[in-house]
Amino acid sequence: MATAAVICCSVTASFATAQVRQFDVAQQPAASGIPMFARQAGVEILVSGPVVDGVLVNRVRGNMDVSRALQLLLAGTDLVPIVNGSRIVLKRAEAPKRVVASVTRRPRPVQDATPAVEPADVQVEETAEPEQEIVVTGIRQSLERAARIKEDAVQVVDAIVAQDIGKFPDPTTAAALQRVPGIQVQNDSNNELSGVRIRGLADIQTTVDGREVFTTTGRGFSLVDMPAEALARVEVFKSQTADQIEGGVAGGIDLKLNKPFNFKEPALVGTARQTYATRVGKANPSLSLLATDRFDTGIGEIGVLVNGTWSHADSMRTTAFMDMRRSSGVAPLNTPGYLIPQVIQNMPDVGEVTRKQVNGAIQWQLSPSVQAYVDGFYTYFQTTAGFTGFNPQPFTNGTSMTNVVASDNCFDARVNANGTNPTISVDAQGRATLQAFTVQRMCDVKSVQFNNIVINQNSSSLRFTQEAKQVAGGLRWEQDRAKAVLDFGYQTSNSFRENVNLEAGQRVATMLLETDVDGGPRVTVPAGAPMSSANLSLRNAFNQNFTQADGSLLQARADGDYELDGLLRKVEVGIRFARREAVQRDVQSTTPIPYGNIGTGTEANARLISSLPLSPSIIGIIGELPRVNGGTSFVGIAPSYLRSEFGRNELRRLLGLPLRRPDWNPTRQFDAKETTLASYVQGNYEVPLGTLTLDGVVGVRVIKTDRDISTFRNVSGALVPVDVSTSDTDVLPTATARLKFPGGFQARLAYSRSIRRPDFGDLNPTQSLAITVNPFQLSTGSAGNATLRPQRSDSIDGTLEYYFKSGFVAVTGYYRRIKDRVVTASNQETIDGINFLISRPRNVGEAELKGIETSAQYFFDFLPGDLAGLGILGAFTIADSKIGGNDLLAGNALQGVSKYNFTIGGLYDRGKLSARVVYTYRSKYWNEDNSGGVQLRPYDPDRPLADPYLPTLLSWIRPAGRLDFSVGLDVTDALRFDIGGTNVLRNETKQYRGASWLNSKVYGDETTYTLGARVRF
């Protein structure tokens, strides 16, 4: 066969694969049907052209193993498969042969699979002299299966597939997703990757096995709740079809869990992993276990699967922050001309993270045409990673500044009497007036010494617990050309956030601030001060913040399709009902400390903590300060004390408060109910064009949404009920077209319209306020916007793709026009004589997002020996976005959108060894709108000086990259060891506010090294 023409050469894979494949091959000539089958099976099939002349292969549709599918494909033909190493060679039956095995097996009904024909016994032969074998396992098999999903999808899709049971290619779902073209992520306060965005947009519809999932009162789903070990694969949809659940302007992410009928044999798989986090200096364990089996019974085959995971981690994310630079010309510094941070914050997030998850499924094949199933999951997430602080405050009474080394970075600013940006007041007639100001030349400093400065050593005692539960079930029926699915699901999600805060402080004789050392601030105080509690006094206030959020979702859907002959190949219809409920209760209680406050006019009456009737456990070592005194620990109010009922009640007793949690504040609560009814119809078409094929889908989805939100408003001390009801009807058309060329080339064009409903909290029609007694912090507030409109997006995607034996190359161009994009910004408002910084969501009118994505992967199969295991992968994305209309942010990029992203990686997969090293880069993006804050900034010289406007002030995250690696060794078929590392170059996240010459904030991102073992029985 060495001279045989290769009419099918798809992604190679072992013929005896343990994984079930999805097939959808129509009855057709063998010359076209065999290549299609091979791509879907993930095997390489060789056959000479004359052998298949005039041969018609059968229809194969459903989930089944490769050998079973091959039986169906070739049943009734005289084609015989011969195993030749990792390839399959097809020959005529009458050719001389040596039969060595039979793949005839007792049919096992599998998920979504109903045989199209009754197969004859198919003999598998083996050539006497097999060619060089290319064995595909692990990383390569995972990547090639993902490429196959991308190739066969009817819309623009990228996928990540587990290398084996419980072996996702990265330690977390978000870490794996960052390799997908167009996906960006960022670190959270637990120092884990999260915050997934598709092409810079966070408005993602997340589903688990195709069902909508959510987190408490939001629209999205917290991906950290679903560990990567629980997943079989993840699919990222960048364009939509009518049968998909609406709700993702950015796109959709579907998390696929393992199911028992996806396994041919019983399996018991356990994984243990130990991850060392270098910043926190501790090793963190994680465990997972999966068990599954299938049973033949008198009432049909039944499959059962249970999977559980557990992990615990100590976490720390250091933060150095020069907050809100203001004029040094006001008291107490009285040295005009310099920009001095209002607070120099050194605030690590320190705590522990615990996760538990269990999911299970039962599948029951009642008959060859009917399958029943029940499945569900439970997730538990708890973090205590709250902030602690060692925060010098230059503007406290009695502080002076000396030894100033000025920067050349200067600008002209409008400065009010407080040394900050002037605010705008609006009278009853809507007339805006700018606060009185003077124009001053302001310069940053390279270094400055502060004398007799107060350092605020505050602590939070965050304990945030979040749970989600879903139970679901349904029926699948498939008979000949017809198929129907009836699916029900019920989910609850609840969270409880408790954060009790207390502040302490001390004066130190001197503090040197250097504003730009290794890309961030460096602070030097007298040796021993960070670890001394002798001079710590209570300051400001005792804060008790509690939030309870609960959500539920009842959903039911019925879908059906029928296959046709001719150009219209299939018609699909469906209807879906969903009932969402969301309830939030909240209280933010602030109790001023009844003694004097150091750094203010009452300092003489301040009380040392040691002089108060409080337990010694109130003080402890509470964090690390890498940018203070060259790196040091520091003491303060112990978070463990504030988390304990003993500590809380001791403070409540001291301050004369009830010995219990404060009552909920009715003005900070809401109750929401939302009902949606959706229906769709779509047609799948296929048009032969000689050697080309044009196929795709055209459909429309219609949704009616009714929503009620109720809360209370405080009117002159009285609680007044507030109820808001809305009703919307949306029509979402979709269309895709794919042109398939011979030899693995194809091109697609897709159009879709999508919507994103506002979060329930954003729709809350009331305003809630939180008063602070800290003189260097503004009182804050939040307000919803009952008039928020759903975001709507029209998107067009076009692709060129080439799939070949050793890899693929794909280029995608996209354009998205978004109407009523929602952004949240803060502005200063005066309420009852108190200045508040109020955050409100608003629709910005319109925005555009366009760009190009490229991706490729390739294995060097032509290299000799073990070098044939080498491979590369890469992706590059350009995302050009712009806010339009007359919004205050018009002309700026969309929040969170990086213009450039790329991934480049090296791969190795050969025999028992697999390895990967990947570098991921993301260009700058803005993450905060600080235009309403107090920081000074340049004014617009093209506008009248006294114009009542606030110059735009955005905070930008600088470009950054991270390098990750993993190495795996299969010691035996049952035992595998893995090592890996994340962020091994120790990247830091750096932020600047306004002017780019000085970083305002530096986050210490975690670096981890992992050792793991996996055992399969």
Side-chain angles (χ1 to χ4, degrees):
M1 293 295 297
T3 60
V6 180
I7 72 164
C8 170
C9 184
S10 86
V11 180
T12 59
S14 172
F15 177 62
T17 177
Q19 294 293 319
V20 171
R21 311 288 187 178
Q22 174 70 40
F23 293 94
D24 190 359
V25 179
Q27 186 183 47
Q28 58 189 291
S32 59
I34 293 172
M36 180 180 294
F37 175 88
R39 285 194 296 271
Q40 296 179 16
V43 297
E44 184 177 7
I45 299 178
L46 301 179
V47 62
S48 61
V51 169
V52 297
D53 286 346
V55 177
L56 195 69
V57 294
N58 303 299
R59 182 171 72 97
V60 180
R61 187 168 183 264
N63 287 347
M64 62 193 81
D65 61 68
V66 174
S67 55
R68 167 68 169 162
L70 192 59
Q71 291 177 34
L72 298 176
L73 185 79
L74 302 180
T77 74
D78 60 354
L79 296 179
V80 176
I82 302 170
V83 177
N84 185 352
S86 64
R87 302 169 178 173
I88 298 173
V89 179
L90 296 183
K91 298 177 64 177
R92 294 281 190 179
E94 62 269 22
K97 56 185 179 290
R98 175 170 54 92
V99 178
V100 297
S102 172
V103 299
T104 302
R105 300 181 183 180
R106 175 179 50 84
R108 306 189 76 174
V110 294
Q111 181 179 347
D112 288 336
T114 301
V117 297
E118 289 298 324
D121 288 356
V122 178
Q123 304 297 315
V124 176
E125 303 172 9
E126 185 176 84
T127 55
E129 297 180 1
E131 299 178 2
Q132 182 183 4
E133 186 174 348
I134 301 174
V135 179
V136 178
T137 58
I139 291 175
R140 179 165 182 175
Q141 185 181 58
S142 168
L143 292 172
E144 292 181 341
R145 290 177 62 200
R148 188 164 54 253
I149 292 171
K150 178 182 180 73
E151 179 185 9
D152 294 338
V154 298
Q155 71 258 72
V156 181
V157 175
D158 285 288
I160 307 166
V161 178
Q163 297 171 23
D164 208 332
I165 306 169
K167 178 55 181 170
F168 219 58
D170 286 275
T172 67
T173 306
L177 284 170
Q178 70 174 324
R179 322 289 182 208
V180 174
I183 295 286
Q184 299 96 38
V185 298
Q186 62 191 46
N187 275 56
D188 59 19
S189 60
N190 298 315
N191 226 336
E192 299 176 314
L193 289 179
S194 62
V196 174
R197 293 172 177 264
I198 300 177
R199 296 169 177 168
L201 303 178
D203 309 297
I204 298 168
Q205 177 65 58
T206 305
T207 55
V208 172
D209 292 326
R211 299 185 196 99
E212 180 183 0
V213 288
F214 66 95
T215 298
T216 62
T217 62
R219 299 289 184 185
F221 180 70
S222 178
L223 290 176
V224 299
D225 287 355
M226 188 64 72
E229 294 92 340
L231 302 177
R233 72 176 187 267
V234 177
E235 295 179 358
V236 179
F237 297 92
K238 298 174 182 177
S239 65
Q240 294 181 269
T241 51
D243 60 323
Q244 291 182 294
I245 299 172
E246 72 285 348
V249 166
I253 294 177
D254 188 30
L255 309 177
K256 297 290 189 183
L257 303 178
N258 287 298
K259 296 293 184 287
F261 280 2
N262 290 345
F263 297 84
K264 293 188 298 181
E265 304 296 337
L268 179 63
V269 182
T271 303
R273 182 178 294 115
Q274 194 82 332
T275 300
Y276 181 77
T278 62
R279 291 191 183 274
V280 74
K282 293 186 178 181
N284 302 314
S286 64
L287 301 170
S288 70
L289 182 67
L290 180 145
T292 185
D293 200 358
R294 297 163 64 163
F295 308 93
D296 288 316
T297 72
I299 56 173
E301 185 176 24
I302 297 175
V304 180
L305 181 146
V306 178
N307 170 232
T309 60
W310 172 88
S311 67
H312 179 82
D314 290 276
S315 70
M316 180 177 69
R317 194 186 195 202
T318 60
T319 307
F321 184 20
M322 294 185 290
D323 188 28
M324 297 296 183
R325 304 201 299 281
R326 56 193 291 188
S327 171
S328 60
V330 298
L333 301 180
N334 299 316
T335 307
Y338 302 110
L339 289 163
I340 300 299
Q342 182 168 271
V343 182
I344 300 105
Q345 295 180 328
N346 299 275
M347 299 184 68
D349 290 301
V350 182
E352 299 177 354
V353 179
T354 301
R355 290 189 177 89
K356 295 179 283 187
Q357 177 275 150
V358 62
N359 71 82
I362 299 174
Q363 292 175 298
W364 175 19
Q365 198 73 37
L366 288 83
S367 71
S369 299
V370 180
Q371 181 189 121
Y373 58 89
V374 177
D375 52 57
F377 66 79
Y378 168 77
T379 67
Y380 173 92
F381 168 80
Q382 184 179 86
T383 179
T384 60
F387 67 83
T388 58
F390 186 86
N391 307 325
Q393 299 178 337
F395 290 90
T396 46
N397 285 358
T399 304
S400 63
M401 57 185 286
T402 55
N403 302 328
V404 178
V405 178
S407 166
D408 294 332
N409 298 315
C410 307
F411 57 83
D412 292 328
R414 301 185 298 186
V415 184
N416 66 16
N418 296 320
T420 62
N421 195 64
T423 61
I424 296 174
S425 59
V426 181
D427 62 20
Q429 287 73 42
R431 292 172 298 196
T433 304
L434 187 66
Q435 189 179 25
F437 67 88
T438 59
V439 175
Q440 299 180 27
R441 186 70 173 171
M442 306 304 304
C443 296
D444 274 305
V445 298
K446 293 182 178 179
S447 64
V448 58
Q449 179 176 306
F450 298 103
N451 307 299
N452 198 35
I453 189 172
V454 170
I455 297 178
N456 202 53
Q457 291 167 244
N458 58 335
S459 295
S460 71
S461 63
L462 175 71
R463 180 162 53 210
F464 177 69
T465 305
Q466 187 166 274
E467 294 178 288
K469 289 170 274 189
Q470 185 186 82
V471 60
L475 291 169
R476 292 187 178 93
W477 172 83
E478 186 174 353
Q479 184 69 48
D480 194 23
R481 298 188 175 201
K483 177 182 176 182
V485 178
L486 185 63
D487 187 90
F488 300 89
Y490 180 72
Q491 184 199 341
T492 61
S493 176
N494 57 77
S495 67
F496 186 62
R497 179 185 294 270
E498 41 188 323
N499 200 355
V500 176
N501 307 329
L502 187 65
E503 299 177 60
Q506 63 176 316
R507 281 195 183 271
V508 297
T510 62
M511 188 208 83
L512 175 66
L513 170 65
E514 299 166 275
T515 61
D516 189 7
V517 178
D518 295 328
R522 182 169 69 185
V523 169
T524 304
V525 296
M531 288 295 292
S532 174
S533 62
N535 296 318
L536 285 179
S537 300
L538 286 188
R539 296 194 73 214
N540 298 325
F542 173 56
N543 300 295
Q544 301 182 80
N545 305 319
F546 297 87
T547 303
Q548 174 75 45
D550 299 288
S552 66
L553 169 63
L554 174 66
Q555 55 185 317
R557 63 184 297 171
D559 301 270
D561 64 67
Y562 188 80
E563 293 184 358
L564 303 169
D565 295 320
L567 300 183
L568 184 61
R569 304 304 298 269
K570 184 167 62 175
V571 174
E572 301 175 71
V573 296
I575 187 169
R576 178 178 183 267
F577 169 84
R579 172 74 168 178
R580 275 290 307 267
E581 295 189 7
V583 178
Q584 182 168 297
R585 301 290 182 263
D586 183 85
V587 61
Q588 295 187 16
S589 172
T590 298
T591 304
I593 297 299
Y595 318 114
N597 197 352
I598 63 172
T600 71
T602 64
E603 183 167 349
N605 297 320
R607 294 285 300 273
L608 293 174
I609 293 176
S610 59
S611 71
L612 297 172
L614 297 171
S615 166
S617 62
I618 191 175
I619 299 296
I621 297 176
I622 61 174
E624 301 292 326
L625 304 170
R627 290 183 172 270
V628 175
N629 286 7
T632 180
S633 302
F634 71 107
V635 299
I637 307 296
S640 58
Y641 174 85
L642 295 175
R643 271 192 291 272
S644 69
E645 283 304 305
F646 167 80
R648 293 173 181 178
N649 284 336
E650 193 172 61
L651 292 168
R652 290 164 179 159
R653 189 177 297 110
L654 177 71
L655 300 174
L657 299 172
L659 302 183
R660 57 178 175 80
R661 190 198 71 205
D663 294 331
W664 298 124
N665 181 349
T667 67
R668 299 184 65 90
Q669 73 177 48
F670 64 81
D671 293 72
K673 295 179 174 63
E674 180 180 87
T675 301
T676 62
L677 184 63
S679 60
Y680 74 89
V681 59
Q682 72 178 16
N684 294 250
Y685 64 90
E686 183 175 313
V687 182
L689 301 172
T691 60
L692 311 181
T693 302
L694 177 67
D695 64 7
V697 298
V698 177
V700 64
R701 188 178 187 90
V702 181
I703 312 105
K704 188 177 188 302
T705 305
D706 296 307
R707 184 186 307 113
D708 296 287
I709 297 181
S710 60
T711 184
F712 293 91
R713 178 178 289 126
N714 191 325
V715 180
S716 302
L719 293 176
V720 178
V722 178
D723 296 282
V724 177
S725 298
T726 59
S727 182
D728 301 297
T729 299
D730 295 280
V731 179
L732 308 179
T734 62
T736 72
R738 176 176 59 174
L739 186 61
K740 296 188 287 186
F741 299 83
F745 286 96
Q746 64 182 33
R748 341 171 167 256
L749 186 64
Y751 164 79
S752 61
R753 178 174 295 169
S754 56
I755 62 169
R756 177 71 167 191
R757 304 179 186 95
D759 285 350
F760 292 113
D762 287 344
L763 292 165
N764 184 2
T766 63
Q767 176 177 272
S768 58
L769 305 175
I771 299 176
T772 180
V773 296
N774 187 331
F776 301 104
Q777 292 181 353
L778 286 173
S779 294
T780 60
S782 61
N785 183 350
T787 65
L788 278 180
R789 298 177 297 277
Q791 301 177 68
R792 290 175 170 83
S793 169
D794 289 282
S795 62
I796 298 174
D797 294 79
T799 74
L800 293 174
E801 305 163 30
Y802 175 47
Y803 299 88
F804 49 96
K805 172 185 174 182
S806 300
F808 77 91
V809 178
V811 179
T812 302
Y814 61 89
Y815 174 82
R816 180 161 288 159
R817 186 177 185 86
I818 306 171
K819 296 181 180 179
D820 296 322
R821 179 74 177 156
V822 175
V823 298
T824 299
S826 299
N827 287 288
Q828 295 183 59
E829 300 178 21
T830 300
I831 302 173
D832 297 331
I834 301 175
N835 199 26
F836 288 86
L837 192 64
I838 306 290
S839 65
R840 299 176 187 271
R842 69 179 190 276
N843 294 109
V844 298
E846 63 183 40
E848 289 185 352
L849 179 64
K850 57 187 177 182
I852 296 174
E853 294 173 354
T854 62
S855 57
Q857 65 188 43
Y858 181 72
F859 281 89
F860 299 95
D861 294 333
F862 61 87
L863 293 176
D866 289 340
L867 293 179
L870 291 172
I872 58 172
L873 62 79
F876 178 75
T877 302
I878 299 175
D880 188 10
S881 65
K882 184 178 181 180
I883 297 173
N886 58 359
D887 190 81
L888 298 174
L889 295 175
N892 286 286
L894 285 167
Q895 183 177 11
V897 177
S898 294
K899 187 170 184 178
Y900 303 108
N901 302 267
F902 73 80
T903 295
I904 185 70
L907 309 166
Y908 185 81
D909 197 341
R910 185 77 170 177
K912 297 180 179 296
L913 181 66
S914 61
R916 183 186 62 175
V917 57
V918 180
Y919 182 79
T920 304
Y921 169 88
R922 182 179 183 183
S923 67
K924 72 174 185 178
Y925 62 95
W926 71 268
N927 69 326
E928 296 174 1
D929 179 8
N930 309 112
S931 303
V934 302
Q935 178 167 316
L936 295 176
R937 77 291 303 261
Y939 59 86
D940 186 349
D942 295 330
R943 299 184 65 166
L945 189 61
D947 258 12
Y949 77 99
L950 297 175
T952 300
L953 182 66
L954 303 179
S955 290
W956 293 81
I957 301 296
R958 291 195 184 276
R962 53 186 288 136
L963 182 68
D964 304 336
F965 76 91
S966 63
V967 180
L969 177 65
D970 292 307
V971 179
T972 67
D973 291 340
L975 178 62
R976 176 183 176 89
F977 288 109
D978 291 276
I979 61 172
T982 66
N983 192 32
V984 296
L985 300 181
R986 298 183 64 83
N987 169 72
E988 294 181 317
T989 298
K990 296 178 179 179
Q991 173 184 294
Y992 64 91
R993 180 171 290 174
S996 62
W997 57 68
L998 186 65
N999 289 327
S1000 60
K1001 188 178 292 188
V1002 180
Y1003 297 98
D1005 297 342
E1006 188 61 274
T1007 294
T1008 66
Y1009 295 95
T1010 299
L1011 176 63
R1014 177 180 169 279
V1015 180
R1016 178 171 182 168
F1017 301 97

